[in-house]
Structures are given as C-alpha cells and as structure tokens.
Amino acid sequence: MYGTARRASVRFYRVLAFESSCDDACIALLEKSPSLRFPVVIDEVKHTLDSKEVGGVIPTKAHEHHQQHIPLLAREFFAKHSISAASPPGLICVTRGPGMVGSLSASLQYAKGLAEAWERPLIGVHHMVGHLLAAHLPQGTPQGTNDTTLSRRDKTNLSGTDDFDPPKFPFLSLLCSGGHTMLVLLRSLADHKVLINTVDIAAGDAIDKCARQLGLRGNMLGPELEKLAESIDSDTRKKFESINVHDGKNEYFFRLSQPFRSPKHAKVPENVQFAFAAYSSTLDKHLARAKILRPDHRLFLANKLQSGIFEHIVNRIQVACLKHDERGDNLLEGVSDFVCSGGVAANKVLRQKLQLAFPGFKFHFPPLALCTDNATMIGNAGIEVFEQWRRKSSPDILPIAKWPMNGFAASEGWEDVSDEEYERVTK
Ligand code: ZN
C-alpha cells in the first residue's frame, strides 16, 4: 500500500490537460512520477454547451462556448490548484484532433500560449487515442459537472492502484457512445487498427433517437430506455422474446431487419461494419403507421430496439473475429483483454451479451466519467507520449479535424524531447 510516508518519497510532476473537441470544455490536473505506472488524477472541471433546444451541436456556438469558458474555467482552476507563472505544471497536454476545428482551436491556442509563456513541453493529443488509453487509468476519476464544483481527489488514492489490473497490449477496445462506435485493436501506444467502424451514426445516437421517438425525455436518454426496457416483468419479457420481428407477422406488426444480415450480404464480408441509422428510421415508419401506441406496444418496441442494437454490435464483432480466424492472419493472437467503454457500454444488457458471446476475453469496463469526453484521458495519453516516445509538439501545430488513429505518431509537428528537458520536467 502507498502510505503518506511512501508518497512523500516519490517525486511527482504536474500535468495540465485541456479538451474541447466537441461541446465539452474540460480542464484536468494530474500528477505523475516516472517511477510509478499510473498518474494520480487530482481534479477535473467541465462545462458543457447546452444544445438541448437546438437538438445538436452547432459548430459556431461550440467555438464561442470554448472561447468563453476555457479561460474562465482555467482562471478558477488555476487559483484552486495554485497554478501560475511562478508555479507552472511540468507538462501541458491538449486535444489536437479529431473534432470541430473551431472547438479544438480554442483550447489549442490557449495551451500553446501557456506552454510558450511557461517554457513547458506541449503535447497535442489524438482524442480517440485518449479514449482508448483511458482504460489504463485507475478507477475513480473525478466527475465533471456544469457548476464546476468537483470532488477533489485525495492524492492518497494511489493506494487504490495496487490491485488495479489494466489491459495489456495487444487488447481489443470497443468504444461505444453517442459520438463513436468502433472496435479497435491496440497493439501498442502508436499501433492501432480499426477493425469495425460505423457507416452512419453512432450506437448511442441511434438509442437516443429511438428513446425520443418513444416519448422519453431528459439528458440521459440511453439510461432512460434501459430503465423502460428493464421495467418489463419477466412473463411479458419471455413473451416478447418469443415474438419474431423478422417479417412483421406479429400482433404489433413490427418488422426489424438487422443491418448486413439479408441473403444479399456476404456472411463474412471483406469490410465488417456497424450501421445504426436504420433502427430509428424503422421505428419512425412504424410509429407513423401505428398512430396510437398502447403501453405494452411501447414496451415491446423498447425491448426489441434495444436488444436489436446490442445484438448487431455483438454479431459484427463475432463476424470480425471469424474473418480473421478464416484468413489465418493471426491478427487477434495473444489478445486476452477486451475494453468496453463509452456511455452505451454502461448498459447492463450490452455487458451481459458481450461477456456471454466472448467468454475467452477478460472484460474491462472503465468508469463512465472516463468514457465521456474528458481532459483526464488527454493528460493520461499525453504523459504516455512524453514518457514513452520522448516526444512533444512543435509550437506551430494546427488542429486536425479528421485525424486517422494510425496517423497519430506519423503526423507532422512532433519534436524530440532532449534528456535535459525530460529531466527538468520530471525532477
Ligand atoms: Zn469522444
């Protein structure tokens, strides 16, 4: 166990991180010692653009939001953690892409200015790599809220890392949220292969749309749909499960076809993909025909849509595994860890389905606070770049709207960190 005495003997450097790729303005502070495997998360603040009324993120509004809130959040955050020119952090990390250029620019410019003024290395981080490496962070990271009052992590939370067993390379990562749905094979910090991506919208987006069409309201529509589907008693659930929706010859006249499963599709296609747009459009057409929705009909639809979306996810992963098995390319050889992150991955039904379908993998479910967009994951990925690659970003880097994951290491704008600079930061 790491006691206070042991902690006192470990030297830490502070890491300041910014994330503003979409609608969340986030700032985090971490501490890291090169002698310890994991960073300590000190604090994070978040302020999310309110887009409820317009029903989606408007890029110009997001740009304005970040221009206003990154400096305001920073002022308060710096005062709280005594961050100043006289006491600057050792490392500054910021999301460089992918994302909306206006949103990215706000914190990239801010971070660049601080890095130059304080003469500290700047690390421009790939947002998706940040998500994927979040599984390497010990559990129990602070949750951001719009009122910016956050629980401060006691630095003695190092004690919690003793039994923390993070996934080991190579591992599979299913990122499943409102913004992303992809299965990635991570072979190392710089070597990522996207095995499945979505051809249209993300799973979480489809779930939100279906929930809204079924009359659910609120900020967290996915958990609302899960609650509705869970409220079904076991007899009714059994009855629903026995009802086939392939052809619509059921008492609700509901027909749901799973994407890429009709006879015209190859059983094992060359490119395995996810597709989720059809779920809400099918529901849309069904509701237009049904006109009046009885309570049992609504429950039936909630049950069939949620399980349909999750079965599609599981099935595509099975097909991807089968494809690499059949090819004998040994792509998945040595993979024993499976990380499942993102808001949708918090759903118990999806977790059960995955664990049942892939009993050979050890599953990791990072906490939700680390799965939504956050600056902690950007700081964590930046630390890995700094300590393992010994690289930093040049001061002229630009935001990258579309940044392939494997382009992270190969993109322009990296500079070597000299031994002298590395020592200066970490000592
Ligand atoms: Zn994200």
Side-chain angles (χ1 to χ4, degrees):
M1 297 288 279
Y2 291 90
T4 317
R6 176 157 172 198
R7 179 180 158 72
S9 65
V10 179
R11 290 194 72 88
F12 285 82
Y13 62 94
R14 296 198 294 175
V15 179
L16 183 65
F18 297 88
E19 149 67 32
S20 67
S21 59
C22 186
D23 57 347
D24 292 312
C26 321
I27 306 177
L29 181 66
L30 296 85
E31 285 189 350
K32 177 72 175 61
S33 164
S35 62
L36 294 174
R37 275 176 81 195
F38 312 112
V40 184
V41 183
I42 303 297
D43 201 358
E44 168 145 9
V45 282
K46 185 187 278 196
H47 197 295
T48 305
L49 172 69
D50 187 353
S51 309
K52 256 181 260 141
E53 277 184 18
V54 286
V57 181
I58 299 171
T60 49
K61 291 280 171 220
H63 177 56
E64 281 171 14
H65 173 81
H66 297 311
Q67 293 270 12
Q68 288 180 315
H69 290 283
I70 288 286
L72 290 176
L73 285 176
R75 181 187 282 181
E76 220 174 291
F77 195 70
F78 291 0
K80 185 176 170 189
H81 295 289
S82 306
I83 297 169
S84 65
S87 173
L91 191 65
I92 297 168
C93 306
V94 60
T95 308
R96 185 182 177 190
M100 299 181 200
V101 168
S103 292
L104 292 163
S105 300
S107 52
L108 183 58
Q109 276 311 110
Y110 199 85
K112 276 186 185 182
L114 292 178
E116 282 303 298
W118 294 342
E119 296 182 337
R120 291 296 188 265
L122 174 78
I123 315 280
V125 175
H126 192 294
H127 178 85
M128 300 306 296
V129 174
H131 270 303
L132 295 170
L133 294 180
H136 279 166
L137 272 162
Q139 320 269 306
T141 297
Q143 291 240 16
T145 64
N146 267 356
D147 64 7
T148 73
T149 51
L150 292 159
S151 60
R152 189 181 191 284
R153 292 291 296 172
D154 181 352
K155 290 181 193 173
T156 54
N157 76 349
L158 275 171
S159 59
T161 63
D162 278 0
D163 16 309
F164 175 57
D165 183 21
K168 289 162 201 72
F169 293 119
F171 64 87
L172 280 174
S173 185
L174 174 71
L175 187 58
C176 201
S177 67
H180 327 282
T181 307
M182 54 168 71
L183 181 75
V184 184
L185 172 67
L186 282 91
R187 287 182 281 218
S188 73
L189 175 59
D191 187 354
H192 320 112
K193 187 172 173 55
V194 178
L195 303 184
I196 318 177
N197 209 339
T198 174
V199 289
D200 43 45
I201 59 173
D205 195 4
I207 288 172
D208 283 2
K209 286 191 166 93
C210 291
R212 210 170 290 125
Q213 285 162 284
L214 289 174
L216 295 169
R217 294 290 174 265
N219 260 343
M220 305 282 282
L221 288 169
E224 290 298 325
L225 186 68
E226 184 180 7
K227 246 190 271 166
L228 184 66
E230 239 177 38
S231 70
I232 302 166
D233 65 70
S234 61
D235 286 347
T236 313
R237 180 163 313 159
K238 268 187 212 138
K239 181 191 146 193
F240 286 169
E241 274 161 15
S242 69
I243 297 176
N244 199 322
V245 289
H246 299 321
D247 53 10
K249 288 180 187 157
N250 52 65
E251 63 182 280
Y252 302 102
F253 303 105
F254 182 57
R255 181 170 183 264
L256 182 67
S257 9
Q258 290 289 51
F260 310 125
R261 300 276 287 277
S262 70
K264 69 172 185 190
H265 290 100
K267 220 170 172 189
V268 182
E270 187 51 33
N271 291 318
V272 186
Q273 291 163 318
F274 292 125
F276 299 100
Y279 293 95
S280 64
S281 57
T282 298
L283 177 59
D284 215 17
K285 284 181 206 138
H286 179 75
L287 292 177
R289 276 197 310 272
K291 295 201 171 62
I292 302 162
L293 214 55
R294 290 195 320 266
D296 64 314
H297 189 169
R298 185 166 172 260
L299 288 178
F300 176 75
L301 294 173
N303 176 282
K304 288 296 182 193
L305 285 158
Q306 185 181 264
S307 60
I309 289 172
F310 294 160
E311 273 159 25
H312 173 61
I313 293 173
V314 170
N315 174 263
R316 291 297 95 185
I317 300 172
Q318 283 170 326
V319 171
C321 292
L322 195 65
K323 181 181 115 178
H324 293 292
D325 260 3
E326 278 185 0
R327 279 186 179 177
D329 58 14
N330 297 334
L331 194 74
L332 300 177
E333 202 175 86
V335 178
S336 56
D337 289 299
F338 194 124
V339 178
C340 193
S341 61
V344 179
N347 187 297
K348 287 192 286 295
V349 179
L350 176 61
R351 288 184 177 195
Q352 278 164 3
K353 281 187 190 292
L354 284 166
Q355 284 169 311
L356 214 68
F358 305 101
F361 289 117
K362 181 181 178 206
F363 277 85
H364 304 257
F365 299 102
L368 195 58
L370 284 178
C371 296
T372 53
D373 285 351
N374 66 83
T376 298
M377 69 180 193
I378 300 303
N380 176 55
I383 290 167
E384 297 212 23
V385 169
F386 182 72
E387 287 192 8
Q388 292 184 29
W389 288 355
R390 299 281 177 106
R391 293 270 186 84
K392 63 175 183 175
S393 296
S394 58
D396 60 347
I397 56 163
L398 298 171
I400 307 178
K402 289 194 163 82
W403 196 1
M405 222 174 311
N406 258 344
F408 182 34
S411 62
E412 84 298 343
W414 291 114
E415 291 176 350
D416 289 334
V417 173
S418 67
D419 290 348
E420 185 269 323
E421 189 169 27
Y422 187 79
E423 295 282 301
R424 190 153 36 92
V425 169
T426 54
K427 280 216 165 152

